[in-house]
Amino acid sequence: MPGIVKVRILEGRNLPVMDRASELTDAYVDVKFHERNIFRTQVCSKTLCPKWNSDWFKFEVDDDQIQEDLLQIKVFDKDTVTANDPIGKVYISLVPLTCPGNHNTISGWFPIFDTLHGIRGEIKLIVKVKYISETKQSSCGVKFFYTKTVPPLYELVEIKSFVEELVIEDDPEYKWIDKIRTTRASNEARQLLFLRLCTSLQRKIGSKVLELGGNAVIGYRPSVDLEGSFGVVVRAIGTCVLLKEVETSFVGASDTMDSHLTTPESENNPRLLARQGSHKKYSCTSECSEPGPLFDCTSPTLKFPLSSPKVPCNYTDFPFYTMGGFPNGFVSSIGGLVSSRSVRLLDKLESMPEESDSRDKLWLELRKEVRTHMKTLGCNAVIGYSERSTICDKLCVLSAIGTAVILNTTPPASSDQISACSPCHIPYNVHSSPFNITPYTCAVCGSGKVPDILLTTIDALPNMPVNGNGCFVKVQAFRSKKKQTGEGSAHSIGQQLPFLEYEVHQQLTHKLKIKGMNAVVGIHYELCVGETAILYIASGTAVYLSALPPAAPFRVRCDTAESVQVDKLQEAIQAAYEKNVTCYNITRDNTPVSGAPAPDLDLSFASKDVIVVDIEDAKDEIKIESTLSSPFADNMFTSSTSSVPGISDDAVPSEGAHILTQICRINSAPNSAMETADLDIILNKNIQLLCFKLRKYKTCFLSNIRFHVHMPDEDELVIAISAIALLSLPLCPVGKVGEIKRRYHRFISSGSNEIRFCEEDIMNLSHGSQESGMLAENHVQLTPSHHIPGTVLRHCYGHINIFLIRESADVRDLSSFTKNFIMEAQAILRAHVGALGGNALLEYRLGELVLIDGPQKFQAQILLNISGDAAYVNYDTPRHPSE
């Protein structure tokens, strides 16, 4: 499908001073696409706000070049004597312009980014893509969504299959030419390579989707594995589906839209251009003020017609789905969490003839093992599936995890046939199970069998019997190891991983008992392997399911300590348990529903006494004490998922989402005597510092809490904590603010082995007018959720994926340096969304955050990958009558 790419450079602003004598800049722009000729604008002398107003630069390209390559905008300062100085670059992917329903024009201000100095001004430009002819072989029509649920503007017709792909390329950082080129050129080469590999990977997956008969990928998850001198591996997984656009009627659009679309100003207005591109697909009327019956835009749980979606009866080799949201009745039963891990040496893979095939075989082995676990649990599919890798020198740890379930190929005809407790029932035969399990009778229906604890990687299903409110939980395990290389290091890690997993799940069970909960949804695992340490963090949202047996506080037993000390610890456990049950509004009424058959006498099962925990030393006592307290304030509702289970959408504030980040550096050298309990204290302190930023607000909903761990050096550990805050106004009284401030005062002082920051510029709520309380029209809202409370989704532009590299030789504070870099990356991301015509980025995802210390004292390098789904949402939705 040949096409024409046209580019016009308009103007720039806030450029840096490049001429010290005049304190001005002589700027010009080079425009390059693929390997075509480079077009150059005229030089605007002695100004920091140049106006080029160039002619249209045209590139005649093929379809694969439009999908795989990027438009490069390079800004330079003209020098008469010395070489021209680079100011910065702008990389623009043209993939969103090729998606059906999107306009073929992108226009707006783009930040000029330099890998050594950050953002250095802005440039305004217009890009147009025009296809001369169309061919059926093109994958341009395939839409990619990071969200794990079906977007509200589409109806799910059929779930096709699991799709995956990976590509391998040499890392420019380790090529011989890197020794003779500048640091800036090396960083730009890596940055461009990562972006090209991601677009190439997307085109290959799009071709697979067309072969399978689909038109979209949901739960798209690209990842980059930096293997050092062995190369760069870019891989992605997703769920191939067939979607159908839904025609809806809505209010909020301008009645004079048609007249605005024909004005000359619309050429430079991306919002009007975007509405023009999708104007024929949606009718704007004033008769209907609510979304159509097929979905609920303001709810995190989408509503689908039960008769429309189809699950293939003939499953592929791997019935894995990265989707996490399903309609009522499609998930018949949840078997539990299934996972697989593998430890490999990269130098062994390099000796194989085809490197891509060797890595495909590694992931194939893991998927086969996960499939075996799935069949052992009596299930036919794995949902919420994800794959991750951890690389340290020549060592690579591969992980695959998901939730084994039974998916109904023919869902019930009506919602009356759906049992509320059906997903909690175990699908396998207890007597033929290869592992020991004590089943219990379902407390809702009185007939099915349920486990005592349920772990899932997906959010709570809409028909799950959730009792009370959910809360965020996290556990961790830290182990020091000898500094080894080669097979010795791989053997050591392979032996320690099972014990780490056992320790983490044991702590998770104890914490659930203290919380009064019996299930964890949306569970995430973060594994980091360094030269001298291994860190394993598990986090999720604890909930109480009425179908499962109630959780009772465990009892402690110690043969060496005095009985008085043990009694005090037991009283503290009981007090924390009762406080949590009251705080999370958990009721203990497990009476079967009316009309349900009475359960049979359960005489064949094992003892159902409470768990007894033995305390052997002081470390065990410290671990138990750490489970009693929570790092969050009492006025916070916390969750690792997009929404807090048990909280209705009406109670969630809709003033806007705010992304918070907290970074700390920890000394993890073997001589530092770091233990799991010490790491728990450090994590709790930083979580409390994150909460300290929200001290002024009466009620706060903290969701999508994530941990990002990296070991840039053998004796250093960097942990980044991110979350999204939905704040409830009005503010707390001054007296209470002072009380909260005094409560968190002891956590502000920095320790000798930690560097942290507390200030956040994004906490300002003055985005919109005080009368409406809505965000400004030109503001792009970033949210890790697949929806923004109080808004209605109008258009999806597809996903945006950005790779950035920042390096500096004058880094005094790595945490502040990282914070500023993340804020610059978010500004670039907002500019790309706004230029497409959007005002929101859904499923905001911090994919990669790699911190590398340089050979010099104050030198550091950061690799950052951020992505999300660009969309346009309407904030002018009618309020609920109760509001």
Side-chain angles (χ1 to χ4, degrees):
M1 187 192 304
I4 298 177
V5 177
K6 299 193 299 181
V7 184
R8 185 185 180 191
I9 307 299
L10 299 179
E11 57 180 317
R13 64 186 181 190
N14 301 328
L15 297 185
V17 175
M18 304 298 294
D19 188 359
R20 295 183 178 180
S22 62
E23 296 185 353
L24 296 172
T25 300
D26 304 326
Y28 69 92
V29 181
D30 283 350
V31 182
K32 180 181 179 181
F33 186 78
H34 197 57
E35 300 299 333
R36 309 292 176 176
N37 296 331
I38 299 177
F39 294 97
R40 178 170 296 180
T41 66
Q42 62 181 356
V43 179
C44 291
S45 302
K46 299 185 183 304
T47 178
L48 299 181
C49 298
K51 297 183 182 296
W52 294 287
N53 292 323
S54 68
D55 297 331
W56 288 99
F57 303 137
K58 297 181 180 180
F59 301 91
E60 295 181 358
V61 294
D62 295 331
D63 172 58
D64 56 346
Q65 297 173 357
I66 294 178
Q67 296 184 66
E68 292 189 2
D69 221 313
L70 293 102
L71 179 66
Q72 304 179 43
I73 310 296
K74 306 178 182 179
V75 185
F76 292 90
D77 173 63
K78 179 69 175 180
D79 288 336
T80 55
V81 179
T82 60
N84 298 335
D85 298 326
I87 297 178
K89 288 187 177 182
V90 176
Y91 296 103
I92 300 177
S93 174
L94 304 181
V95 174
L97 302 182
T98 63
C99 295
N102 293 353
H103 200 271
N104 62 346
T105 302
I106 181 173
S107 173
W109 289 94
F110 291 86
I112 303 172
F113 181 78
D114 181 64
T115 59
L116 299 182
H117 299 91
I119 294 180
R120 310 181 78 186
E122 296 176 281
I123 185 172
K124 187 177 183 181
L125 51 88
I126 304 175
V127 182
K128 291 185 178 182
V129 177
K130 180 181 179 181
Y131 284 110
I132 300 177
S133 61
E134 296 185 1
T135 58
K136 295 183 179 180
Q137 289 77 15
S138 174
S139 59
C140 291
V142 178
K143 287 184 174 291
F144 290 79
F145 300 100
Y146 285 101
T147 176
K148 294 184 179 181
T149 59
V150 179
L153 295 179
Y154 298 90
E155 178 184 345
L156 180 61
V157 178
E158 186 176 355
I159 303 175
K160 293 293 184 177
S161 176
F162 170 76
V163 289
E164 54 82 23
E165 188 62 70
L166 66 83
V167 292
I168 302 176
E169 192 69 38
D170 293 335
D171 194 340
E173 188 84 5
Y174 297 89
K175 289 185 178 180
W176 67 268
I177 196 174
D178 190 72
K179 299 179 180 180
I180 60 176
R181 60 184 173 188
T182 63
T183 303
R184 177 183 283 108
S186 177
N187 293 337
E188 291 176 352
R190 296 186 79 191
Q191 191 171 278
L192 182 60
L193 175 66
F194 295 159
L195 292 171
R196 282 178 173 173
L197 289 179
C198 288
T199 53
S200 175
L201 190 71
Q202 180 178 335
R203 187 182 67 85
K204 292 183 179 181
I205 292 183
S207 301
K208 286 186 177 182
V209 171
L210 293 180
E211 294 177 358
L212 293 171
N215 60 2
V217 177
I218 296 179
Y220 184 64
R221 288 294 181 267
S223 302
V224 178
D225 300 334
L226 303 178
E227 299 182 352
S229 59
F230 302 100
V232 178
V233 179
V234 180
R235 51 187 176 81
I237 58 175
T239 303
C240 173
V241 298
L242 181 61
L243 301 179
K244 181 178 69 174
E245 292 189 12
V246 178
E247 296 183 0
T248 61
S249 299
F250 56 84
V251 295
S254 175
D255 295 335
T256 59
M257 181 184 294
D258 295 331
S259 61
H260 287 298
L261 293 176
T262 57
T263 58
E265 290 80 1
S266 63
E267 181 177 349
N268 297 332
N269 191 333
R271 301 195 184 281
L272 296 180
L273 292 175
R275 293 176 182 176
Q276 179 183 5
S278 59
H279 177 232
K280 297 181 180 180
K281 295 179 182 247
Y282 312 105
S283 59
C284 305
T285 64
S286 59
E287 298 177 357
C288 181
S289 61
E290 297 180 357
L294 296 179
F295 56 87
D296 180 8
C297 295
T298 61
S299 173
T301 303
L302 302 181
K303 301 176 182 179
F304 303 88
L306 290 176
S307 58
S308 294
K310 299 178 181 179
V311 179
C313 298
N314 298 325
Y315 288 101
T316 58
D317 293 338
F318 300 103
F320 301 159
Y321 303 104
T322 56
M323 295 177 61
F326 288 87
N328 289 347
F330 272 81
V331 179
S332 174
S333 181
I334 298 178
L337 189 143
V338 290
S339 65
S340 176
R341 286 184 173 83
S342 175
V343 182
R344 300 288 181 175
L345 291 175
L346 296 177
D347 54 356
K348 300 292 183 181
L349 302 177
E350 192 181 26
S351 60
M352 296 185 180
E354 292 293 337
E355 294 185 7
S356 59
D357 293 342
S358 64
R359 285 159 177 80
D360 279 333
K361 291 180 181 179
L362 293 182
W363 289 110
L364 184 63
E365 293 177 2
L366 259 69
R367 293 168 190 148
K368 287 182 178 180
E369 187 173 349
V370 172
R371 183 181 59 185
T372 302
H373 296 330
M374 175 199 72
K375 293 181 179 180
T376 303
L377 294 177
C379 299
N380 59 8
V382 176
I383 63 177
Y385 179 75
S386 63
E387 296 177 347
R388 296 201 60 180
S389 66
T390 302
I391 300 174
C392 176
D393 195 18
K394 298 180 181 180
L395 189 70
C396 181
V397 180
L398 309 180
S399 304
I401 188 172
T403 303
V405 300
I406 293 182
L407 287 182
N408 287 329
T409 56
T410 56
S414 63
S415 59
D416 298 337
Q417 302 179 10
I418 302 175
S419 175
C421 59
S422 175
C424 302
H425 296 172
I426 55 178
Y428 46 87
N429 189 345
V430 178
H431 301 288
S432 60
S433 176
F435 46 84
N436 296 327
I437 183 175
T438 303
Y440 295 82
T441 303
C442 179
V444 175
C445 65
S447 57
K449 299 299 179 183
V450 296
D452 57 343
I453 291 178
L454 183 62
L455 304 179
T456 68
T457 57
I458 60 175
D459 297 356
L461 297 175
N463 57 334
M464 271 189 170
V466 177
N467 187 336
N469 308 331
C471 67
F472 177 81
V473 292
K474 60 90 184 163
V475 292
Q476 61 286 316
F478 182 86
R479 294 284 182 91
S480 299
K481 71 180 188 71
K482 295 182 180 180
K483 187 176 181 180
Q484 297 175 315
T485 58
E487 295 183 357
S489 178
H491 181 72
S492 175
I493 294 176
Q495 285 186 329
Q496 292 192 49
L497 276 179
F499 295 97
L500 281 174
E501 291 185 353
Y502 174 79
E503 182 180 351
V504 164
H505 286 89
Q506 185 184 48
Q507 293 183 44
L508 192 61
T509 303
H510 295 169
K511 186 156 288 189
L512 281 178
K513 299 296 183 181
I514 293 295
K515 295 287 185 181
M517 312 288 188
N518 53 18
V520 179
V521 298
I523 192 169
H524 293 267
Y525 293 96
E526 186 74 19
L527 175 64
C528 184
V529 178
E531 296 182 1
T532 59
I534 306 176
L535 175 62
Y536 196 60
I537 300 178
S539 60
T541 304
V543 297
Y544 179 75
L545 300 178
S546 301
L548 273 61
F554 58 85
R555 297 187 179 277
V556 294
R557 180 177 57 189
C558 182
D559 298 333
T560 58
E562 298 180 359
S563 59
V564 178
Q565 184 178 358
V566 175
D567 293 340
K568 289 183 178 180
L569 184 59
Q570 189 65 53
E571 292 177 359
I573 293 174
Q574 185 66 30
Y577 170 79
E578 294 176 356
K579 177 184 176 182
N580 292 328
V581 170
T582 304
C583 179
Y584 300 122
N585 301 321
I586 299 176
T587 59
R588 296 303 183 186
D589 186 12
N590 286 339
T591 305
V593 295
S594 59
D600 298 332
L601 291 177
D602 201 358
L603 302 177
S604 59
F605 296 136
S607 174
K608 297 182 176 59
D609 295 336
V610 295
I611 298 178
V612 178
V613 179
D614 292 326
I615 300 178
E616 299 179 356
D617 51 20
K619 296 180 180 179
D620 294 337
E621 185 177 354
I622 294 176
K623 289 181 181 179
I624 294 177
E625 291 178 351
S626 64
T627 62
L628 303 181
S629 59
S630 174
F632 300 99
D634 296 337
N635 63 335
M636 291 186 177
F637 297 90
T638 59
S639 172
S640 65
T641 56
S642 301
S643 59
V644 182
I647 301 295
S648 62
D649 297 331
D650 297 335
V652 179
S654 59
E655 281 77 10
H658 307 272
I659 299 174
L660 305 179
T661 307
Q662 183 72 27
I663 298 178
C664 67
R665 299 178 66 182
I666 306 170
N667 182 13
S668 61
N671 56 5
S672 64
M674 172 72 68
E675 297 288 346
T676 299
D678 302 325
L679 180 63
D680 180 65
I681 295 174
I682 295 175
L683 290 179
N684 288 340
K685 284 184 178 180
N686 283 273
I687 291 176
Q688 288 168 326
L689 280 172
L690 198 72
C691 299
F692 182 75
K693 304 169 187 177
L694 312 173
R695 62 192 178 276
K696 297 181 180 180
Y697 299 94
K698 185 176 181 180
T699 305
C700 176
F701 293 82
L702 208 61
S703 61
N704 291 91
I705 304 175
R706 296 287 187 273
F707 294 93
H708 306 273
V709 185
H710 181 62
M711 291 185 181
D713 201 357
E714 63 180 24
D715 58 349
E716 188 177 37
L717 178 64
V718 179
I719 300 178
I721 307 174
S722 61
I724 173 175
L726 294 173
L727 309 177
S728 177
L729 301 179
L731 303 179
C732 290
V734 179
K736 291 188 177 181
V737 173
E739 180 182 351
I740 296 177
K741 186 174 182 179
R742 289 190 298 270
R743 178 180 176 185
Y744 289 96
H745 179 73
R746 61 181 181 274
F747 300 109
I748 298 179
S749 58
S750 300
S752 58
N753 61 343
E754 298 179 36
I755 300 178
R756 57 171 75 96
F757 61 86
C758 301
E759 299 298 330
E760 286 286 345
D761 298 333
I762 58 176
M763 292 305 300
N764 186 8
L765 289 177
S766 58
H767 296 303
S769 62
Q770 296 179 357
E771 297 179 359
S772 62
M774 300 298 176
L775 298 178
E777 181 68 18
N778 59 352
H779 178 75
V780 176
Q781 183 73 20
L782 305 183
T783 172
S785 305
H786 62 265
H787 79 295
I788 299 178
T791 65
V792 176
L793 181 64
R794 296 309 186 199
H795 189 74
C796 295
Y797 297 96
H799 81 285
I800 295 179
N801 193 19
I802 294 179
F803 272 93
L804 296 174
I805 298 177
R806 182 76 164 87
E807 186 172 351
S808 177
D810 188 21
V811 179
R812 304 293 176 174
D813 188 347
L814 182 59
S815 297
S816 299
F817 178 68
T818 306
K819 167 199 170 183
N820 295 332
F821 182 38
I822 293 177
M823 295 181 66
E824 288 181 341
Q826 292 176 357
I828 296 175
L829 200 60
R830 285 188 170 97
H832 282 263
V833 175
L836 285 172
N839 62 355
L841 186 83
L842 310 179
E843 291 290 335
Y844 168 79
R845 179 171 173 262
L846 183 62
E848 301 290 339
L849 180 61
V850 181
L851 291 84
I852 303 174
D853 287 339
Q856 301 178 7
K857 183 177 181 181
F858 299 109
Q859 185 179 3
Q861 185 186 67
I862 302 178
L863 286 77
L864 180 66
N865 170 224
I866 54 177
S867 55
D869 295 330
Y872 183 82
V873 297
N874 190 351
Y875 288 89
D876 297 330
T877 54
R879 294 279 184 173
H880 193 272
S882 61
E883 299 179 356

